[in-house]
PDB file of all heavy atoms in Angstrom:
ATOM      1  N   VAL A  36      94.963  90.629  -9.069  1.00  0.00           N
ATOM      2  CA  VAL A  36      96.230  90.376  -8.390  1.00  0.00           C
ATOM      3  C   VAL A  36      97.299  90.118  -9.446  1.00  0.00           C
ATOM      4  O   VAL A  36      97.230  89.133 -10.175  1.00  0.00           O
ATOM      5  CB  VAL A  36      96.108  89.158  -7.449  1.00  0.00           C
ATOM      6  CG1 VAL A  36      97.431  88.920  -6.755  1.00  0.00           C
ATOM      7  CG2 VAL A  36      95.023  89.394  -6.436  1.00  0.00           C
ATOM      8  N   GLN A  53      91.080  91.010   2.262  1.00  0.00           N
ATOM      9  CA  GLN A  53      90.807  92.399   1.941  1.00  0.00           C
ATOM     10  C   GLN A  53      90.471  92.654   0.480  1.00  0.00           C
ATOM     11  O   GLN A  53      89.547  93.367   0.167  1.00  0.00           O
ATOM     12  CB  GLN A  53      92.003  93.266   2.348  1.00  0.00           C
ATOM     13  CG  GLN A  53      91.661  94.718   2.483  1.00  0.00           C
ATOM     14  CD  GLN A  53      90.476  94.936   3.419  1.00  0.00           C
ATOM     15  OE1 GLN A  53      90.503  94.522   4.563  1.00  0.00           O
ATOM     16  NE2 GLN A  53      89.425  95.528   2.918  1.00  0.00           N
ATOM     17  N   LYS A  61      80.632  97.695  -4.046  1.00  0.00           N
ATOM     18  CA  LYS A  61      80.157  97.963  -5.404  1.00  0.00           C
ATOM     19  C   LYS A  61      79.171  96.872  -5.835  1.00  0.00           C
ATOM     20  O   LYS A  61      78.112  97.164  -6.395  1.00  0.00           O
ATOM     21  CB  LYS A  61      81.348  98.015  -6.362  1.00  0.00           C
ATOM     22  CG  LYS A  61      80.946  98.435  -7.748  1.00  0.00           C
ATOM     23  CD  LYS A  61      82.110  98.975  -8.535  1.00  0.00           C
ATOM     24  CE  LYS A  61      83.042  97.886  -9.011  1.00  0.00           C
ATOM     25  NZ  LYS A  61      84.102  98.395  -9.882  1.00  0.00           N
ATOM     26  N   GLY A 139      80.118  85.660 -20.201  1.00  0.00           N
ATOM     27  CA  GLY A 139      81.122  85.096 -21.112  1.00  0.00           C
ATOM     28  C   GLY A 139      80.867  85.524 -22.547  1.00  0.00           C
ATOM     29  O   GLY A 139      81.812  85.883 -23.274  1.00  0.00           O
ATOM     30  N   PHE A 141      79.350  88.206 -23.583  1.00  0.00           N
ATOM     31  CA  PHE A 141      79.654  89.636 -23.744  1.00  0.00           C
ATOM     32  C   PHE A 141      81.161  89.860 -23.862  1.00  0.00           C
ATOM     33  O   PHE A 141      81.624  90.580 -24.739  1.00  0.00           O
ATOM     34  CB  PHE A 141      79.087  90.424 -22.563  1.00  0.00           C
ATOM     35  CG  PHE A 141      79.380  91.896 -22.633  1.00  0.00           C
ATOM     36  CD1 PHE A 141      78.775  92.686 -23.597  1.00  0.00           C
ATOM     37  CD2 PHE A 141      80.264  92.486 -21.742  1.00  0.00           C
ATOM     38  CE1 PHE A 141      79.049  94.039 -23.673  1.00  0.00           C
ATOM     39  CE2 PHE A 141      80.540  93.840 -21.808  1.00  0.00           C
ATOM     40  CZ  PHE A 141      79.924  94.621 -22.776  1.00  0.00           C
ATOM     41  N   PHE A 169      63.900  77.100 -16.325  1.00  0.00           N
ATOM     42  CA  PHE A 169      62.754  77.208 -15.417  1.00  0.00           C
ATOM     43  C   PHE A 169      61.677  76.186 -15.795  1.00  0.00           C
ATOM     44  O   PHE A 169      61.241  75.382 -14.962  1.00  0.00           O
ATOM     45  CB  PHE A 169      62.196  78.629 -15.471  1.00  0.00           C
ATOM     46  CG  PHE A 169      60.914  78.836 -14.715  1.00  0.00           C
ATOM     47  CD1 PHE A 169      60.922  78.989 -13.341  1.00  0.00           C
ATOM     48  CD2 PHE A 169      59.698  78.890 -15.374  1.00  0.00           C
ATOM     49  CE1 PHE A 169      59.741  79.184 -12.646  1.00  0.00           C
ATOM     50  CE2 PHE A 169      58.524  79.078 -14.693  1.00  0.00           C
ATOM     51  CZ  PHE A 169      58.537  79.233 -13.330  1.00  0.00           C
ATOM     52  N   ARG A 191      57.225  67.753 -23.265  1.00  0.00           N
ATOM     53  CA  ARG A 191      58.087  68.408 -24.262  1.00  0.00           C
ATOM     54  C   ARG A 191      57.297  69.432 -25.074  1.00  0.00           C
ATOM     55  O   ARG A 191      57.780  70.525 -25.366  1.00  0.00           O
ATOM     56  CB  ARG A 191      58.723  67.357 -25.170  1.00  0.00           C
ATOM     57  CG  ARG A 191      60.012  66.767 -24.596  1.00  0.00           C
ATOM     58  CD  ARG A 191      60.799  66.050 -25.679  1.00  0.00           C
ATOM     59  NE  ARG A 191      60.137  64.833 -26.099  1.00  0.00           N
ATOM     60  CZ  ARG A 191      60.283  63.651 -25.504  1.00  0.00           C
ATOM     61  NH1 ARG A 191      61.073  63.553 -24.456  1.00  0.00           N
ATOM     62  NH2 ARG A 191      59.655  62.581 -25.933  1.00  0.00           N
ATOM     63  N   LEU A 192      56.056  69.051 -25.431  1.00  0.00           N
ATOM     64  CA  LEU A 192      55.211  69.966 -26.214  1.00  0.00           C
ATOM     65  C   LEU A 192      54.929  71.244 -25.414  1.00  0.00           C
ATOM     66  O   LEU A 192      55.056  72.362 -25.926  1.00  0.00           O
ATOM     67  CB  LEU A 192      53.899  69.272 -26.578  1.00  0.00           C
ATOM     68  CG  LEU A 192      52.920  70.079 -27.424  1.00  0.00           C
ATOM     69  CD1 LEU A 192      53.478  70.275 -28.824  1.00  0.00           C
ATOM     70  CD2 LEU A 192      51.558  69.386 -27.503  1.00  0.00           C
ATOM     71  N   ARG A 221      79.288 105.215 -22.883  1.00  0.00           N
ATOM     72  CA  ARG A 221      79.491 106.652 -23.092  1.00  0.00           C
ATOM     73  C   ARG A 221      79.773 107.370 -21.782  1.00  0.00           C
ATOM     74  O   ARG A 221      80.604 108.262 -21.719  1.00  0.00           O
ATOM     75  CB  ARG A 221      78.234 107.276 -23.723  1.00  0.00           C
ATOM     76  CG  ARG A 221      78.039 106.972 -25.188  1.00  0.00           C
ATOM     77  CD  ARG A 221      77.050 107.954 -25.810  1.00  0.00           C
ATOM     78  NE  ARG A 221      75.789 108.015 -25.086  1.00  0.00           N
ATOM     79  CZ  ARG A 221      74.752 107.229 -25.309  1.00  0.00           C
ATOM     80  NH1 ARG A 221      74.829 106.310 -26.255  1.00  0.00           N
ATOM     81  NH2 ARG A 221      73.634 107.343 -24.618  1.00  0.00           N
ATOM     82  N   TYR A 230      84.941  91.393 -14.132  1.00  0.00           N
ATOM     83  CA  TYR A 230      85.105  90.795 -12.813  1.00  0.00           C
ATOM     84  C   TYR A 230      85.489  89.339 -13.021  1.00  0.00           C
ATOM     85  O   TYR A 230      85.143  88.736 -14.017  1.00  0.00           O
ATOM     86  CB  TYR A 230      83.787  90.804 -12.037  1.00  0.00           C
ATOM     87  CG  TYR A 230      83.493  92.099 -11.357  1.00  0.00           C
ATOM     88  CD1 TYR A 230      82.705  93.052 -11.971  1.00  0.00           C
ATOM     89  CD2 TYR A 230      84.009  92.366 -10.122  1.00  0.00           C
ATOM     90  CE1 TYR A 230      82.418  94.232 -11.346  1.00  0.00           C
ATOM     91  CE2 TYR A 230      83.733  93.546  -9.490  1.00  0.00           C
ATOM     92  CZ  TYR A 230      82.939  94.472 -10.107  1.00  0.00           C
ATOM     93  OH  TYR A 230      82.651  95.647  -9.484  1.00  0.00           O
TER      94      TYR A 230
END
Side-chain angles (χ1 to χ4, degrees):
Chain A
V36 180
Q53 199 53 57
K61 186 159 75 175
F141 179 69
F169 173 79
R191 274 196 290 274
L192 181 69
R221 285 198 307 272
Y230 278 95

